[in-house]
C-alpha cells in the first residue's frame, strides 16, 4: 500500500503548473532581433502591467491561461496566453514593425484640443518670421553668405529655433505634467520636480504613445527612479512607502 504522504506529495507536484504566479521573458524586434524598450506588457485579465527594460526583459504577475498583451509604438500589438509552469512561466516574443496607411482626415474646429488651438494662434501671430527660410548656398550663394553676418537674419532664425523648441515642450506638458505625475505616483512636493527633471519624456514618445502606454511609462520610470536615484532627493518616509508598494528589494 502506498503511504499517504507520497500520494499527497504526488498530487501537489502535479498541481504545481496551475499555480504559476508570474511570467517573465524577453521582447525583441522580429527583424533585427534586438531587444525592444520600453514595451508595455499588460495582463488583460487583471489590467496590471509593466514595461521592458533596456535589455527587453519583463516580469509580470500572471496565471496560466491569462492573456498577455504586448504593445510598443510603431509595432503591431500581440496577444499571447501565459503558459503553464511551476511558479514562474517564461514567455518570450517578437514584435513586428507596423506599416500604416493613413486615411485622409479633415480637421474641424471641434476636433482641436486646447493645445492645438493655442499653437495655431501662436503660429498665426508669428507667421512671417516662421516662414522665413535660409537662402540656398547653391542657388543664392551671395544671400546665404550675407545672412551669416546679418544680425536681423540671425535673430529670426534663432527665434524659429526657440519657437519650435517651445512648442515641443508645451506639447509634452499636455501629457506629462506635475498633476498627472502626482495622480499616478502619489508623489508630493519637490519630489515631483526632481523626478520629472531626472526622467524627461521623449517628444516622439509623447506624440505617439497611447494613454495606457503613457501611464505605464510614468509609473515604471518613477518606480525605477525611487529605487535607483531618489534616495537623496525625497523624504525617507515616501521612499519607504513606494518601496513597499512596488516591493522593490
Amino acid at each position: 500500500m502506498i503511504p499517504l504522504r507520497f500520494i499527497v506529495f504526488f498530487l501537489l507536484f502535479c498541481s504545481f503548473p496551475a499555480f504559476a504566479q508570474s511570467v517573465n521573458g524577453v521582447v525583441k524586434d522580429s527583424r533585427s532581433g534586438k531587444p525592444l524598450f520600453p514595451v508595455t506588457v499588460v495582463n488583460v485579465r487583471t489590467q496590471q502591467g509593466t514595461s521592458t527594460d533596456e535589455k527587453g526583459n519583463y516580469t509580470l504577475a500572471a496565471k496560466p491561461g491569462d492573456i498577455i498583451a504586448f504593445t510598443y509604438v510603431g509595432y503591431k500589438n500581440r496577444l499571447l496566453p501565459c503558459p503553464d509552469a511551476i511558479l514562474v512561466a517564461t514567455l518570450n516574443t517578437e514584435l513586428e514593425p507596423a506599416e500604416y496607411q493613413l486615411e485622409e482626415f479633415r480637421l474641424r474646429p471641434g476636433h482641436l484640443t486646447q493645445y492645438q488651438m493655442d499653437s495655431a494662434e501662436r503660429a498665426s501671430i508669428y507667421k512671417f518670421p516662421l516662414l522665413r527660410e535660409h537662402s540656398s548656398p547653391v542657388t543664392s550663394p551671395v544671400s546665404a553668405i550675407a545672412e551669416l553676418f546679418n544680425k536681423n537674419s540671425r535673430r529670426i532664425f534663432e527665434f524659429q529655433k526657440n519657437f519650435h523648441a517651445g512648442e515641443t515642450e508645451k506639447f509634452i506638458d499636455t501629457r506629462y505634467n506635475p498633476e498627472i505625475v502626482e495622480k499616478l505616483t502619489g508623489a508630493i512636493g519637490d519630489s515631483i520636480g526632481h523626478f520629472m527633471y531626472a526622467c524627461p519624456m521623449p517628444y516622439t514618445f509623447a506624440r505617439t504613445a497611447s494613454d495606457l502606454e503613457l501611464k505605464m511609462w510614468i509609473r515604471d520610470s518613477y518606480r525605477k527612479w525611487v529605487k535607483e536615484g531618489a534616495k537623496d532627493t525625497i523624504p525617507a518616509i515616501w521612499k519607504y512607502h513606494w518601496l513597499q508598494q512596488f516591493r522593490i528589494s
Side-chain angles (χ1 to χ4, degrees), residues 121-143:
E121 182 179 359
R122 288 189 292 268
S124 177
I125 294 174
Y126 301 111
K127 176 180 179 179
F128 293 108
L130 291 175
L131 289 176
R132 174 73 178 273
E133 296 181 355
H134 287 277
S135 297
S136 171
V138 177
T139 59
S140 304
V142 176
S143 298

Side-chain angles (χ1 to χ4, degrees), residues 52 110 117 123 158 165 170 172 197 218 237:
T52 58
M117 290 188 290
E158 185 67 22
K170 288 182 177 66
I172 294 175
Y197 179 81
I218 293 175
I237 186 63

Side-chain angles (χ1 to χ4, degrees), residues 3 5 8 34 39 45 55 89-90 95 101 117 125-126 129 137 139 144 178 182 184 186 188 207 211 226:
R5 64 177 182 273
V8 173
K34 294 181 179 180
V39 176
R45 178 179 64 85
K55 296 182 179 179
T90 299
L95 300 184
Q101 182 68 38
M117 290 188 290
I125 294 174
Y126 301 111
T139 59
E182 180 179 6
L184 294 176
I188 60 173
R207 292 285 303 183
D211 289 341
V226 170

Side-chain angles (χ1 to χ4, degrees), residues 50-68:
T50 185
S51 59
T52 58
D53 60 19
E54 292 84 351
K55 296 182 179 179
N57 298 310
Y58 73 92
T59 299
L60 180 66
K63 296 181 179 180
D66 284 353
I67 301 300
I68 310 301

Side-chain angles (χ1 to χ4, degrees), residues 199-226:
C199 303
M201 179 176 289
Y203 174 69
T204 53
F205 181 77
R207 292 285 303 183
T208 57
S210 66
D211 289 341
L212 177 59
E213 290 170 331
L214 188 87
K215 292 176 182 178
M216 292 305 307
W217 184 90
I218 293 175
R219 287 178 61 85
D220 191 56
S221 296
Y222 188 83
R223 179 177 55 203
K224 292 178 180 177
W225 178 73
V226 170

Side-chain angles (χ1 to χ4, degrees), residues 80-129:
L80 295 173
C82 177
D84 293 340
I86 299 177
L87 298 180
V88 180
T90 299
L91 183 60
N92 299 323
T93 187
E94 295 181 342
L95 300 184
E96 297 181 9
E99 297 178 358
Y100 296 105
Q101 182 68 38
L102 298 179
E103 298 180 357
E104 182 179 357
F105 177 74
R106 183 169 296 176
L107 188 63
R108 296 183 177 87
H111 295 142
L112 293 174
T113 64
Q114 186 61 49
Y115 162 79
Q116 289 171 326
M117 290 188 290
D118 293 342
S119 181
E121 182 179 359
R122 288 189 292 268
S124 177
I125 294 174
Y126 301 111
K127 176 180 179 179
F128 293 108

Side-chain angles (χ1 to χ4, degrees), residues 132 145-157:
R132 174 73 178 273
I145 295 175
E147 284 179 353
L148 297 177
F149 301 96
N150 187 287
K151 291 183 180 180
N152 186 54
S153 295
R154 291 204 302 270
R155 282 197 297 266
I156 290 176
F157 295 131

